[in-house]
Amino acid sequence: LRFLMGSTFNMFFIAPYILTIEYVDESKRTLVGNLGLALILTISGVYQPWLIKYLGEWKSFSWIIFGQMGIVAAVPWVMPESGRWLVASGKTERAENIMRKIAKINKKQVSEETFASFRELCI
């Protein structure tokens, strides 16, 4: 169990964190990265001692904590792929679609000229 938890850490924690930072405006990266991380770790630090006291044994506690990774397994369906990776892999159309989706979510108007410029840079 310990090996499994350790081997999944990168996939379930680091990758979504980096993608989140990649898609956030530079001026808000510190806020989004640190506040989100600090908030989740604080909540975790508050409830875990009470959970282990209630359970009374470490094995059940480990399974419950590892079970939370199941929630994180949904990340690939919720968070888009890295635009930089898609462009580097030659998948510029897919990267452009993701950028359009992000602009729509952020309620930003991005001109077709900007996307045309993006496509030219990717060639």
Side-chain angles (χ1 to χ4, degrees):
L1 181 63
R2 193 182 289 179
F3 172 76
L4 195 56
M5 292 265 308
S7 64
T8 59
F9 181 77
N10 259 356
M11 184 173 79
F12 290 137
F13 179 76
I14 301 295
Y17 181 78
I18 290 171
L19 285 173
T20 301
I21 296 300
E22 184 176 315
Y23 282 120
V24 174
D25 184 37
E26 285 183 27
S27 64
K28 295 182 176 90
R29 283 183 182 168
T30 302
L31 176 68
V32 170
N34 293 333
L35 183 63
L37 185 62
L39 185 63
I40 297 302
L41 290 177
T42 300
I43 291 170
S44 175
V46 167
Y47 86 84
Q48 285 182 4
W50 295 105
L51 178 63
I52 200 165
K53 182 175 173 47
Y54 173 76
L55 294 172
E57 65 169 332
W58 67 270
K59 288 182 182 179
S60 300
F61 176 74
S62 293
W63 280 107
I64 289 172
I65 296 301
F66 182 70
Q68 295 173 3
M69 292 293 188
I71 296 169
V72 181
V75 167
W77 289 278
V78 177
M79 184 173 274
E81 289 184 84
S82 167
R84 293 177 190 183
W85 180 83
L86 290 170
V87 169
S89 301
K91 301 175 183 178
T92 56
E93 185 177 318
R94 194 164 168 194
E96 182 180 337
N97 290 337
I98 288 174
M99 296 302 165
R100 287 180 188 275
K101 184 178 176 182
I102 290 170
K104 185 178 177 183
I105 290 169
N106 290 330
K107 298 176 184 146
K108 299 287 183 182
Q109 294 293 325
V110 180
S111 67
E112 284 302 317
E113 182 179 297
T114 303
F115 284 114
S117 165
F118 173 74
R119 284 189 297 273
E120 284 181 31
L121 288 171
C122 294
I123 294 176

